[in-house]
Amino acid sequence: MNAGEVSAVALANESLQQIDSQEGEIHAFVEIQREQVLRKAQAIDDGVAQGKNMGVLAGVPLALKDNLCQHGEVTSCASNILSGWRPPYDATVVSRIETAGVLIVGKTNMDEFAMGSSTENSAFGPTKNPHDTTKVPGGSSGGSAAAVAASMTPLSLGSDTGGSIRQPAAFCGVVGVKPTYGLVSRYGLVAFASSLDQVGPFAGSVADAAALLEVIAGHDPKDSTSLNAPAPALSSHLDDGVKGMRVGLCNELLEGCAPDMVAAIKRAAEVLSNAGAEIIEISIPELKLGLSAYYLIAPAEASSNLARYDGVRYGVRVDAEDVTAMNTATRTAGFGDEVKRRIMLGTYALSAGYYDAYYGQAQRVRTLIINAFTKAYSSVDLLLGATTPTTAFAIGDKVGDPMSMYQSDICTIPTNLAGHPALSVPFGVGDDKMPIGAQLLGPALSEQQLFQAASVLEHGANS
Ligand code: GLN
């Protein structure tokens, strides 16, 4: 781009054309910003013509999950309760990518308020998996994963509270990264569970994901949980390999997974071993407690965060005889079933008399999990396991059974509870020919090593 070999307008048009040909079937977007993207692309081309450096990602189209605030643009979290709301400010990640020259082409579909694992909980209808449109793309960032998988955009951003970047990345055969908690600013990310939420990239390759993470990472004074750490150097280390790295093949991230999944992850371990890593079989039994702790902590935080949608401050209002009745009518009409379920679960877990038995106990279990990870990372540098127990399931398969839907996150949730980074990198296909994701996990701020190992797996995936 900066050398003038390709124009931003041409890239924007290519992305829009691909969206035009695929979107009818895939439904990755809730809003496409056609005019804005062409205007921005023209401004970048003008800058390049004047010899200006327009940023490291100048002219690269990107799809933005619809829970990230973009000034003046639709930001609905795929919920009716936010319909018509347009944020008066940009999320920090949005300002950072725009400074880097990225072209935001639109907002992507998701499970309402990021609660779900299939993007079927969207108020605007489901997104389909580009590899097989009878299958889900995963969730909650299903639209962002599908946009990249269908070559609509080379990059997208999502959020991961319990697996919502890694799980859809695995189902759609793309790279997805959940950074260390606090590495990427949450300012302008609509809050679901604030102690777990983290923004991260989707991309078609490890190198592209690294380039995007370098742009969005780094301290932000507007987020009180932002780490005082610089963005990690990732791109310059992608070829450093895994020689001497100790990688724990984690029993609990394989147990209960489908046989084709287990076989693929064992092949991934072999690829790392052939590249010089030491593979150590490891068991961390505490990880099995992750799901139950998460489904108390995340709904508890959500019930508090979602209290702000009261018919007064945002989006829709359903009028009634007094304020309390108006609040009730608005929330009854505005929220979908899963969001209501989480609010009720969370409110119950926090209520007087139950607080210590549920929320308090879940927090103690969270500490156990953190301690277990810390102990594991004294004997291994990284962990390897499956991202998901199976490949993508069929649309409609789990909508009537929330517990089985929740179980699709069994391998991804423990990382969020610990605040650690993890990523999913495509590694072969299952018996059904659908993509498989290998998950790499590491201690806080180990992104550089995770990307080195992911790069080895990416090159070895077809060997
Ligand atoms: N699927 C999980 C949930 O429903 C995780 C969602 C997420 O990471 N946002 O809560």
Side-chain angles (χ1 to χ4, degrees):
M1 270 294 313
N2 281 320
E5 287 163 22
V6 59
S7 78
V9 169
L11 291 175
N13 275 321
E14 205 177 298
S15 171
L16 290 171
Q17 276 160 19
Q18 185 67 1
I19 290 171
D20 286 339
S21 78
Q22 303 286 308
E23 179 61 4
E25 181 140 29
I26 306 293
H27 188 219
F29 289 88
V30 298
E31 175 92 349
I32 295 159
Q33 299 167 8
R34 214 168 277 277
E35 278 129 47
Q36 299 92 313
V37 73
L38 289 170
R39 217 178 313 122
K40 176 88 192 291
Q42 189 58 57
I44 288 180
D45 285 343
D46 293 347
V48 172
Q50 290 161 20
K52 292 188 193 145
N53 183 327
M54 298 307 288
V56 284
L57 296 175
V60 181
L62 176 144
L64 199 63
K65 187 174 181 179
D66 201 32
N67 59 355
L68 287 161
C69 290
Q70 192 187 358
H71 191 174
E73 302 291 347
V74 164
T75 300
S76 73
C77 293
S79 180
N80 284 324
I81 211 156
L82 275 173
S83 66
W85 185 63
R86 289 173 189 262
Y89 69 104
D90 276 332
T92 295
V93 291
V94 169
S95 359
R96 288 196 180 168
I97 58 176
E98 293 212 301
T99 305
V102 158
L103 302 173
I104 298 172
V105 299
K107 305 298 290 284
T108 58
N109 198 18
M110 55 187 280
D111 287 299
E112 185 177 2
F113 284 104
M115 297 172 187
S117 312
S118 66
T119 314
E120 291 165 295
N121 293 338
S122 164
F124 311 125
T127 297
K128 315 257 172 74
N129 191 312
H131 293 270
D132 176 348
T133 52
T134 67
K135 303 272 171 74
V136 302
S140 63
S141 319
S144 290
V148 173
S151 304
M152 296 172 174
T153 57
L155 297 175
S156 64
L157 282 178
S159 64
D160 191 312
T161 304
S164 280
I165 293 175
R166 289 160 289 158
Q167 187 254 20
F171 279 6
C172 290
V174 300
V175 177
V177 186
K178 187 216 96 74
T180 301
Y181 184 79
L183 185 66
V184 178
S185 171
R186 291 183 300 112
Y187 179 75
L189 165 69
V190 178
F192 163 12
S194 309
S195 78
L196 303 160
D197 298 340
Q198 192 59 185
V199 180
F202 286 95
S205 71
V206 174
D208 286 356
L212 180 53
L213 183 52
E214 283 170 334
V215 165
I216 59 171
H219 182 66
D220 176 18
K222 289 180 184 154
D223 173 358
S224 63
T225 61
S226 170
L227 281 170
N228 215 343
L234 304 171
S235 303
S236 54
H237 290 272
L238 285 180
D239 298 326
D240 287 2
V242 293
K243 222 180 192 69
M245 240 186 232
R246 298 163 305 168
V247 178
L249 181 61
C250 184
N251 179 45
E252 286 69 25
L253 301 176
L254 290 176
E255 213 179 43
C257 293
D260 55 345
M261 186 63 66
V262 175
I265 303 308
K266 289 196 168 157
R267 273 202 314 281
E270 257 171 56
V271 166
L272 292 174
S273 164
N274 292 341
E278 184 189 348
I279 304 294
I280 301 162
E281 290 193 16
I282 187 168
S283 171
I284 315 173
E286 291 84 351
L287 300 193
K288 287 190 200 159
L289 307 172
L291 197 68
S292 20
Y294 174 90
Y295 276 98
L296 288 163
I297 293 168
E301 294 184 18
S303 70
S304 163
N305 275 326
L306 271 61
R308 71 190 66 170
Y309 306 107
D310 54 6
V312 177
R313 286 171 284 189
Y314 304 90
V316 292
R317 168 183 298 184
V318 179
D319 276 322
E321 63 275 15
D322 59 27
V323 172
T324 309
M326 181 278 287
N327 292 158
T328 306
T330 300
R331 289 165 69 86
T332 301
F335 288 135
D337 287 351
E338 184 60 27
V339 174
K340 287 176 184 159
R341 183 177 295 121
R342 304 281 179 112
I343 291 173
M344 286 189 280
L345 272 171
T347 311
Y348 183 78
L350 289 174
S351 57
Y354 295 109
Y355 183 96
D356 200 54
Y358 292 117
Y359 184 72
Q361 184 69 357
Q363 292 291 18
R364 285 186 283 274
V365 170
R366 184 174 189 173
T367 303
L368 276 183
I369 292 171
I370 296 171
N371 292 345
F373 268 125
T374 306
K375 186 163 161 255
Y377 291 131
S378 67
S379 59
V380 298
D381 299 304
L382 302 179
L383 292 168
L384 170 69
T387 307
T388 57
T390 63
T391 56
F393 46 88
I395 292 175
D397 239 21
K398 297 186 196 276
V399 271
D401 184 357
M403 288 301 278
S404 95
M405 187 72 91
Y406 297 172
Q407 274 163 8
S408 29
D409 300 309
I410 195 137
C411 302
T412 48
I413 277 174
T415 330
N416 298 75
L417 291 168
H420 293 161
L423 56 77
S424 182
V425 58
F427 196 86
V429 293
D431 295 342
D432 56 1
K433 301 281 177 272
M434 292 298 284
I436 280 181
Q439 189 182 197
L440 289 159
L441 303 80
L445 297 176
S446 62
E447 275 81 357
Q448 195 180 89
Q449 290 79 5
L450 287 172
F451 273 80
Q452 282 171 226
S455 181
V456 169
L457 288 184
E458 179 176 56
H459 292 118
N462 302 315
S463 64

